[in-house]
Amino acid sequence: MLLITRGAARHPVRVRNGGGIVSAMTDRLNPGDPAPEFTLPTDTGGSISLADLRGRKVILYAYPAAMTPGCTKQACDFRDSLASLQAAGYEVIGISPDKPEKLAKFRDRDAITFPLAADTDKAVLTAYGAYGEKQMYGRTVTGVIRSTFVIDEDGKIERALYNVKATGHVAKLRRDLGLD
């Protein structure tokens, strides 16, 4: 059994490990926790690293799958708010288990103007507590837990929001950050 120890709240998840599925517990992040470091491929064929963004505020949001209705709505909401978020000093990054090629199609189809990171092995999503068991249509399933993380200039978690709604979440986040 894999046990990631970080923070206080543990939630069971199942992650793929070498072709099999391993039961695991992941911790949810809390304000003040260090944000897990990552370097991931992006929709543009490059890569993005949290370390490269040190000194800037980052909004990292985890979504289940590119080009699905809810994820498209959420991405377009971030796209439409990007200028004001950047004016307030925030960089926005979307992260999903999709391959970079699918993310590129998503970017092109919906004119997404911020980086989309590919976490195909779900290691980063798991480290952030954004992959695991969740309720979907009354059933318990394993997958990406729609989440948003606000990371400060020093790489610490400022806000960790789990099980957010695709619709209306960006507007609520803007209000919570004092941008509206």
Side-chain angles (χ1 to χ4, degrees):
M1 176 175 285
L2 171 68
L3 186 61
I4 301 170
T5 56
R6 181 189 64 245
R10 289 197 174 127
H11 299 274
V13 297
R14 298 171 66 133
V15 295
R16 292 193 180 280
N17 183 5
I21 294 183
V22 176
S23 294
M25 300 285 285
T26 61
D27 297 332
R28 296 233 169 143
L29 296 172
N30 296 299
D33 288 345
E37 292 292 335
F38 63 83
T39 298
L40 292 170
T42 68
D43 56 309
T44 62
S47 65
I48 192 159
S49 172
L50 187 59
D52 292 341
L53 298 170
R54 196 74 70 236
R56 293 184 261 175
K57 297 182 277 189
V58 176
I59 296 172
L60 176 69
Y61 82 96
Y63 61 98
M67 297 194 284
T68 58
C71 296
T72 298
K73 173 66 175 148
Q74 187 178 23
C76 290
D77 283 351
F78 271 112
R79 177 201 64 206
D80 295 346
S81 293
L82 189 61
S84 64
L85 290 168
Q86 288 177 330
Y90 292 95
E91 299 291 331
V92 175
I93 304 168
I95 181 173
S96 76
D98 296 304
K99 293 180 179 177
E101 299 80 17
K102 184 176 181 184
L103 296 175
K105 289 178 186 174
F106 186 36
R107 176 200 66 224
D108 292 344
R109 186 191 78 173
D110 294 295
I112 306 301
T113 53
F114 53 85
L116 299 173
D119 184 22
T120 56
D121 67 1
K122 303 168 194 78
V124 175
L125 291 162
T126 300
Y128 276 81
Y131 184 80
E133 289 183 355
K134 62 182 183 175
Q135 294 297 310
M136 186 177 215
Y137 305 113
R139 295 181 30 228
T140 300
V141 298
T142 301
V144 175
I145 299 163
R146 192 179 303 276
S147 308
T148 300
F149 307 94
V150 179
I151 303 166
D152 72 14
E153 299 89 339
D154 297 321
K156 301 266 188 207
I157 298 293
E158 194 173 287
R159 295 172 192 261
L161 308 166
Y162 293 94
N163 297 308
V164 301
K165 302 290 182 202
T167 303
H169 170 62
V170 175
K172 181 184 179 325
L173 180 63
R174 290 173 48 77
R175 284 191 305 274
D176 290 351
L177 295 174
L179 302 178
D180 284 339

